[in-house]
Amino acid sequence: VGLGYWGPNLARNFQTSADFDLVGLCDQDPRRVERAGAPYPSATQTTDIAELLEKATPDLVAIATPVASHVPLSKAALEFGAHVLCEKPIARSVREAEELLALARKQRLHLFVDHPFKYTGAVRVVQQLYATGALGNLFYIDSVRINLGLFQPDVDVTWDLAPHDLSILSYVLGGKNVTHVRATGSTHNPHGFIDVAYVDLEYKGGLTAHLHLSWLSPVKVRRMIFSGSRSSCIYDDVEASEKVRIYDHGVSFEVDDVEQRRQVLVSYRRGEMRAPAVDLREALAAELTQIAAHIRGAPSGASLGDEGLEIVRILAACETSLAKDGARVAL
Amino acid sequence: VGLGYWGPNLARNFQTSADFDLVGLCDQDPRRVERAGAPYPSATQTTDIAELLEKATPDLVAIATPVASHVPLSKAALEFGAHVLCEKPIARSVREAEELLALARKQRLHLFVDHPFKYTGAVRVVQQLYATGALGNLFYIDSVRINLGLFQPDVDVTWDLAPHDLSILSYVLGGKNVTHVRATGSTHNPHGFIDVAYVDLEYKGGLTAHLHLSWLSPVKVRRMIFSGSRSSCIYDDVEASEKVRIYDHGVSFEVDDVEQRRQVLVSYRRGEMRAPAVDLREALAAELTQIAAHIRGAPSGASLGDEGLEIVRILAACETSLAKDGARVAL
Amino acid sequence: VGLGYWGPNLARNFQTSADFDLVGLCDQDPRRVERAGAPYPSATQTTDIAELLEKATPDLVAIATPVASHVPLSKAALEFGAHVLCEKPIARSVREAEELLALARKQRLHLFVDHPFKYTGAVRVVQQLYATGALGNLFYIDSVRINLGLFQPDVDVTWDLAPHDLSILSYVLGGKNVTHVRATGSTHNPHGFIDVAYVDLEYKGGLTAHLHLSWLSPVKVRRMIFSGSRSSCIYDDVEASEKVRIYDHGVSFEVDDVEQRRQVLVSYRRGEMRAPAVDLREALAAELTQIAAHIRGAPSGASLGDEGLEIVRILAACETSLAKDGARVAL
Amino acid sequence: VGLGYWGPNLARNFQTSADFDLVGLCDQDPRRVERAGAPYPSATQTTDIAELLEKATPDLVAIATPVASHVPLSKAALEFGAHVLCEKPIARSVREAEELLALARKQRLHLFVDHPFKYTGAVRVVQQLYATGALGNLFYIDSVRINLGLFQPDVDVTWDLAPHDLSILSYVLGGKNVTHVRATGSTHNPHGFIDVAYVDLEYKGGLTAHLHLSWLSPVKVRRMIFSGSRSSCIYDDVEASEKVRIYDHGVSFEVDDVEQRRQVLVSYRRGEMRAPAVDLREALAAELTQIAAHIRGAPSGASLGDEGLEIVRILAACETSLAKDGARVAL
């Protein structure tokens, strides 16, 4: 359900998956249904979710619509008796997200959250670097996720872009909890949504992460710096061939010698850099395999509703901070 | 005075300037004096400022020492009767900076602030883009100035790195005033100085600038984004050949069509980019020419003590905000 | 026919085209047929071209197999009565290519040559720069097309990679004829095919182009320099956001002043660079539209067999030159 | 002698060297003498080599003039009784180079050839990679050395640019001999010198290197690919922070599986890349230390006249090949 940018990718991956059959497609806009549905003539094609459920009788419904409709569509699917795979963020408020989880529990169905970054080769490399101690203690994390002026119709830039950072960080940091947030932002468009925001996240144990989110950047940047005591790494998703770069120097706290200082000042980095080979295969296929395993009752790494709820909690806290002029807000 | 990283550049430019003679060099460390003084055998070479003033009787003293000594050395030079060219920041507190300006006025001498960026081709291009309206209204400015772990002995990362941003922004924005600041930071080194900081600057009229300052980055970044309503530009000082890139699209607030949305999502920018030729000549030579003109009484663009004082004011406000856990501080 | 790397792209584009229906898929390897055919359950799927023709009765057969089978498969399709869209090079020898063209003429069918670069935004920009005189007179063209060690099973590196350069240059230069070629190469693999080659092309009027072709490069490079008297441009197909860069300086033949010389030596370019927005939509869709128009008898830009023959002629001349130790060979 | 682009660097390094004193500077153009001499008031400054030798009585004369004057100036210095450090190429013909070597032998003086690349961190890394077997067998070398339209007044592009490649390759390959050359070129400027050339070098044992040399490129490129059987490396001298990149995959000669083929086709490299830390200190200082050691009779790595003669031999063979329309010429 939802055949804008992401939906057709979902459709293609369900179709080619060994675990799923693509039984139907749905979008409010009939032109999108027609265009996206062309390669799948045997799948039910409709503009109405009720008709989709009735005719296609799906076991799982994937929802890739604008944020505002995530909750009603997920509810419809769960009530019909289908598992749900929902885009992030799963709801616009903590209360709604909690209701959705409760409904899934009541129906004994799974509410999955679409979290494809977790299955990309690049993010897996970063996760391994952290988990194995190769980075040492993390000093801080800085993420820049800025865009080309693509405004969302129903949410501000934090709800649009931060979920990606939040889910990547949750995975890399092994589920470490965010304890406080702080957010500032500004609005420069006629729709009134915040289009530039800076978010500070404090994790349990003191680690901080800083996000620069923007719809007003002339270039697309997707770059996260993980600064660590043993080594540091940069994950740049826009890079074609070197998505993860690892810098093997720890930071030296003693640079007394003037000659060494000068060297440092004129050079652009120190120590060796290496860029491991990164698996570039599409993450969605691996995600669907995990989801299928989970439904069959096998242990899986699939992201469930509680992960989606946690992201909504953090986004809601950012909203509170934005409303209080950047105050530090506890979760 | 001060022959660490920057001092030898000053010495070389004074020597080759048509307006100045290099009459003496001074540093506490005799090895530095020897090394830096080798090409200038006829210049007085000493580890003592008093001896320098007495023997070399300079008309102008340039001070490129650690921040803590800027005030005592500048005072000594002014009291001797020499003009002063001082590195930024000129003092560690507003009160000291004001005293220095008062002393210069009393002595009827000039207190110049070293501001070489103003004379670089790249910053001049950005200034022209703003001044001529080519950028339109500025939406926001984002600057990343992050380093290789080069810790300063006597100041934190804001006093070390932010002066560059503050002086560039002051020049580009035509002296627009900072009205409020907000700063957060953290410390990960045994010396106790803040080594990662994020600073928000609010300018008169509502424009905001955000600075990411760090001594804990694996790579050196010097990148400022000026996001504007008519066009945007990126000034990347680490780039060898394209220091300023101008993106000629204004941001579109209407992207209704799904196909256009998809285009935007998969592309990395829109519209034409152009990178003008940038004058790469050394800025210091041009700066010394302006300083000489100013001393002779001609109109000049040389930066004077009041510019240096303004930077100290902003840095002191950042310090207050850091101490108050990121509170918004008015200037 | 042929479901290796390129075939599935063709299938998808035929399926989504408004002008074509995908009626069948064929490959010798049944696993490929199964994998590539999954999204198209209603299309005939077979490992036998005869069965494909009989069951699917196509109006047009697209051939994306290894080079050695282009001729027999094309003949089979033409004899059956279908138009053909064949990958480059269409044959391994001039004689075979000529026979194929003769057969198409005799059958009154079209033999199209797959030439998608012609429909990419980047190549169209370069073509316009040349055609409008913005580049002035071309001094020379240099192309680097080097790979990651992907050896072809049945042809050497010139037959594998040069067709792309030859077709791009033919389009950009408006069909200007190659009059002479010269090629040198070497072999470092056990299969005996040349895996590194350098090719010189001389065009009517004296323009020269030089190709570096390799399967032994550690990185993938796709970069063409068009050096002109009024401006120059670089087309880099690996670049995500700046595929075409235009340098607006003509070359200056007078650099007498030592200071200017020094400037040039230390800088990385002169004059302004601009990177126009380039249409990133898939070229194949546009190509199929042109092919459909051509079949309906409308004027079109579709590439026909004579273009394919010309490429085979040049490749054959390269083969002669390689056999004669780099001798200059006239076409 | 010769205070154009390179001479002032030599002067500065002699002045700061612990082994040398800068006793004099000379250039035909008095403005250059004045400008370059300003920091060295105690050094003899003249436009006449005879006056320089007489007044400054140097032990060593460094010659950084246009090529045509290398021989007469070197002879004057040797006949006066001074060692010579001459820029490459040391002469315009093999005969002249041999005469110069004979004169140095007769005078029992050293004729050094300026070869600073040998002392750069980047070239040393590449040399180590080859010497230790980390690259395995070299398949081939490709060098691109192209410029911004800086025409030399007295030599063509091969004599201007190829000496850098020839000396780097000689050092990296441990003195391996060039056995044959082949060169083609073209002329697009009113002075009549060849401004674009392609040179093939064959080394003893069969290794080949290919050079692209040009004064007509819109950008400056300095990039050498060393393609090896165990790993490959790229030395890019224009890169600020990653001058040497090592790609750790050997080339695989078996890519049978279609899925693997596809992976290779869409990716930009395979295996891990690493960029070692490279010493960025100025090479000239290290070179002067070696030269001083050599003069004192210690074993040194300084480049002597026979290296300079070998380069002239190869350039002369290129000239022959150019005159014979690209014929293969034996050395």
Side-chain angles (χ1 to χ4, degrees), chain A residues 18-89:
Chain A
D19 297 301
F20 293 94
D21 289 318
L22 179 70
V23 294
L25 300 110
C26 175
D27 192 288
Q28 284 189 323
D29 181 343
R31 288 168 308 169
R32 289 190 192 178
V33 175
E34 193 185 353
R35 180 160 33 187
Y40 318 108
S42 59
T44 298
Q45 309 199 2
T46 169
T47 57
D48 177 23
I49 174 89
E51 187 184 342
L52 178 79
L53 296 171
E54 189 185 329
K55 287 203 181 157
T57 61
D59 295 316
L60 181 142
V61 175
I63 294 169
T65 55
V67 177
S69 57
H70 286 179
V71 168
L73 292 171
S74 296
K75 282 188 173 171
L78 290 168
E79 280 162 0
F80 168 81
H83 303 293
V84 165
L85 168 60
C86 187
E87 286 307 297
K88 296 180 306 282

Side-chain angles (χ1 to χ4, degrees), chain A residues 24 26 68 96 98 129 242 251 327:
Chain A
C26 175
E96 282 184 314
E98 286 173 339
L129 288 172
E242 289 155 22
V251 173

Side-chain angles (χ1 to χ4, degrees), chain B residues 51-282:
Chain B
E51 188 184 339
L52 178 79
L53 296 171
E54 190 185 328
K55 286 203 181 156
T57 60
D59 294 317
L60 179 142
V61 175
I63 294 168
T65 57
V67 177
S69 56
H70 285 177
V71 167
L73 292 170
S74 295
K75 281 189 174 171
L78 291 169
E79 280 161 1
F80 169 80
H83 303 293
V84 165
L85 169 59
C86 186
E87 286 306 298
K88 298 180 303 284
I90 58 171
R92 281 288 287 113
S93 72
V94 173
R95 192 182 49 75
E96 283 186 314
E98 286 173 342
E99 283 175 17
L100 214 53
L101 266 72
L103 178 59
R105 268 195 306 273
K106 185 185 141 216
Q107 297 285 85
R108 295 176 186 276
L109 291 166
H110 297 300
L111 172 63
F112 298 101
V113 183
D114 191 23
H115 189 151
F117 275 114
K118 204 156 97 176
Y119 300 96
T120 60
V123 171
R124 296 186 93 86
V125 165
V126 177
Q127 190 271 337
Q128 281 299 304
L129 288 172
Y130 179 69
T132 59
L135 297 174
N137 292 320
L138 279 180
F139 289 142
Y140 80 117
I141 297 163
D142 183 89
S143 177
V144 178
R145 187 172 298 275
I146 58 181
N147 254 0
L148 299 160
L150 182 69
F151 293 81
Q152 293 292 341
D154 61 347
V155 289
D156 73 15
V157 75
T158 56
W159 288 80
D160 180 33
L161 297 180
H164 300 298
D165 291 301
L166 295 172
S167 62
I168 291 169
L169 291 177
S170 166
Y171 175 65
V172 168
L173 301 175
K176 204 187 271 276
N177 278 21
V178 173
T179 61
H180 295 82
V181 304
R182 187 197 304 262
T184 56
S186 50
T187 302
H188 312 84
N189 67 77
H191 311 314
F193 287 114
I194 285 170
D195 45 28
V196 177
Y198 294 96
V199 173
D200 283 302
L201 305 170
E202 293 174 40
Y203 285 87
K204 208 167 172 176
L207 176 64
T208 57
H210 182 82
L211 318 181
H212 173 197
L213 309 166
S214 172
W215 289 331
L216 291 173
S217 164
V219 290
K220 179 177 179 174
V221 181
R222 298 278 180 269
R223 185 172 150 133
M224 302 179 92
I225 300 176
F226 295 83
S227 166
S229 61
R230 291 188 56 190
S231 67
S232 295
C233 81
I234 296 182
Y235 159 40
D236 186 339
D237 203 46
V238 167
E239 263 286 328
S241 65
E242 288 155 23
K243 287 192 182 293
V244 182
R245 294 169 180 237
I246 306 159
Y247 298 84
D248 72 351
H249 63 282
V251 173
S252 157
F253 292 112
E254 324 297 333
V255 187
D256 289 339
D257 177 55
V258 67
E259 192 49 45
Q260 196 186 343
R261 268 183 84 83
R262 185 176 310 209
Q263 272 283 102
V264 170
L265 277 161
V266 299
S267 66
Y268 294 94
R269 62 180 180 90
R270 299 158 68 187
E272 178 162 299
M273 183 274 269
R274 61 195 181 86
V278 162
D279 187 344
L280 296 174
R281 276 176 300 186
E282 200 170 15

Side-chain angles (χ1 to χ4, degrees), chain C residues 4 139-140 142 148 152 182 188-189 191 198 210 212 214 216 220 227 253 261-262 265 269 325, chain D residues 4 139-140 142 148 152 182 188-189 191 198 210 212 214 216 220 227 253 261-262 264-265 269 325:
Chain C
F139 289 142
Y140 80 117
D142 183 271
L148 298 160
Q152 294 291 341
R182 188 196 304 260
H188 312 84
N189 68 76
H191 310 315
Y198 295 97
H210 182 84
H212 172 196
S214 172
L216 290 172
K220 179 176 178 175
S227 166
F253 291 111
R261 268 183 84 84
R262 186 178 311 210
L265 277 161
R269 63 180 179 90
D325 195 22
Chain D
F139 289 142
Y140 80 116
D142 184 88
L148 299 159
Q152 293 292 342
R182 188 198 303 262
H188 312 84
N189 69 76
H191 310 316
Y198 294 96
H210 182 82
H212 173 197
S214 172
L216 290 174
K220 179 177 178 173
S227 166
F253 291 111
R261 267 182 84 84
R262 187 178 308 210
V264 169
L265 277 162
R269 63 181 178 90
D325 195 22

Side-chain angles (χ1 to χ4, degrees), chain C residues 267-288:
Chain C
S267 66
Y268 293 94
R269 63 180 179 90
R270 299 157 68 186
E272 177 161 300
M273 183 274 269
R274 63 196 180 83
V278 161
D279 188 345
L280 297 174
R281 274 175 302 186
E282 199 169 15
L284 214 40
E287 188 183 40
L288 295 190

